[in-house]
Structure formats: C-alpha cells, structure tokens
Amino acid sequence: MKEIDLEVSSVKAQSVVFANDFLLVEAAISASGLENPVGCTVQLVDDQTSEVVDEKKIVIDTADQATKVELSAKPAREGDARYRVRVEPLPGERHVENNHDVVDTRVLADRLKVLYVEAYPRFEYRFLKNALLREKSVELSVLLLEADDRFVQEGT
C-alpha cells in the first residue's frame, strides 16, 4: 500500500490588486497513494487575520494529474497581503507540511485613471461611459470631440 499524500502546488495570483477588487488565486492540488477518488476542502486564508475568505470542495482523482481550483478574495486594506491556500490532511496522511502554500500580493487604494476620447456620442460611448462611471475603482474623464458647444464634458 502506497503512502497517502496531498500537495498544494503552483499557486498563482496577481502581484498587484486594487482595494475592494477581486484577487483571483489558482492552485493545483495533487495526490499520491490514493486507491479511490477522495473529496476534500481547499481553503484560502488571509494570513494576517487567519480568516477563511473562500473555500471550495473538490474531488481528487487517483490519476497523477493535479486538480486545479480557483479561489478568490476581496482585500479591503491597503498594503502587502499574504494569503495561504490549504487543504485539510487526509486520514493516514503523514507528510502534512506540503498541504499549504502562500501567495503574496500588494493591495493599492488608488483608483485606475481612464481617459475616454470619442468623436461622436454613439451607443457604445454611452454604454461604456456609464459602465465605467459605476465602477468604484475607476476615475473617469470623458472627452467628446464632436460635441455641441453647450455640451458639458464629463470628468476632470
């Protein structure tokens, strides 16, 4: 009988994310020594607060192929952040030091500055402008080149 071992590997995430925006984390969970498929829970934990911010239940097959899982967080505080991807040990698993991995990211409080220049107020202009205005992480300035003299340009 082979020794059972779960491993969290190849954890990837954006190196920079805006505050209150989604941070997507992708991890690969592999197992060895399994005779049957087994279910487990993968968690994304904020290292600073030890809070579980996301978790997914997955089934790991007996094949040698890693199971990919996507987790997400919505960091609110500015600065450096560290998140830990962890999976609970299986019964009989002796090597648990590889059941977690960390990912570091920087959280920015700035807003993304967008200058949108358009010739005429087409349908696409109105749709895109309104969508960007609703987005809290975007600071928008709009310039219409062929606008009427009385038209008030939006933004800074």
Side-chain angles (χ1 to χ4, degrees):
M1 183 173 170
K2 291 183 183 179
E3 188 173 304
I4 297 172
D5 186 31
L6 281 180
E7 179 182 5
V8 176
S9 60
S10 74
V11 177
K12 300 176 193 170
Q14 301 108 305
S15 58
V16 178
V17 67
F18 289 110
N20 297 312
D21 204 2
F22 284 103
L23 169 70
L24 300 175
V25 178
E26 182 181 286
I29 313 297
S30 56
S32 60
L34 294 179
E35 295 177 4
N36 298 314
V38 65
C40 64
T41 302
V42 182
Q43 297 177 328
L44 182 63
V45 179
D46 184 340
D47 251 15
Q48 191 172 21
T49 63
S50 298
E51 176 188 0
V52 176
V53 292
D54 195 9
E55 73 177 19
K56 298 261 173 79
K57 296 190 182 303
I58 61 169
V59 175
I60 299 177
D61 199 1
T62 56
D64 292 335
Q65 215 170 336
T67 303
K68 299 231 184 246
V69 62
E70 289 184 358
L71 302 160
S72 64
K74 200 171 185 182
R77 62 186 180 279
E78 182 181 5
D80 293 330
R82 173 173 278 187
Y83 290 92
R84 182 176 305 274
V85 176
R86 71 178 181 200
V87 62
E88 294 298 321
L90 293 175
E93 184 177 0
R94 294 192 319 189
H95 300 288
V96 295
E97 63 275 354
N98 61 355
N99 285 23
H100 63 87
D101 201 357
V102 296
V103 63
D104 294 314
T105 188
R106 175 168 286 265
V107 181
L108 302 176
D110 293 338
R111 293 174 30 173
L112 185 63
K113 295 178 179 163
V114 175
L115 171 63
Y116 180 28
V117 180
E118 184 71 69
Y120 297 98
R122 306 176 301 143
F123 169 77
E124 292 85 358
Y125 159 79
R126 289 185 181 99
F127 177 80
L128 185 58
K129 175 191 63 102
N130 289 331
L132 289 171
L133 282 172
R134 284 190 297 270
E135 183 61 42
K136 290 180 172 67
S137 64
V138 172
E139 184 178 324
L140 179 66
S141 291
V142 178
L143 176 63
L144 274 177
L145 298 176
E146 298 295 327
D148 291 335
D149 293 338
R150 294 169 291 171
F151 180 75
V152 177
Q153 300 286 351
E154 299 179 62
T156 53

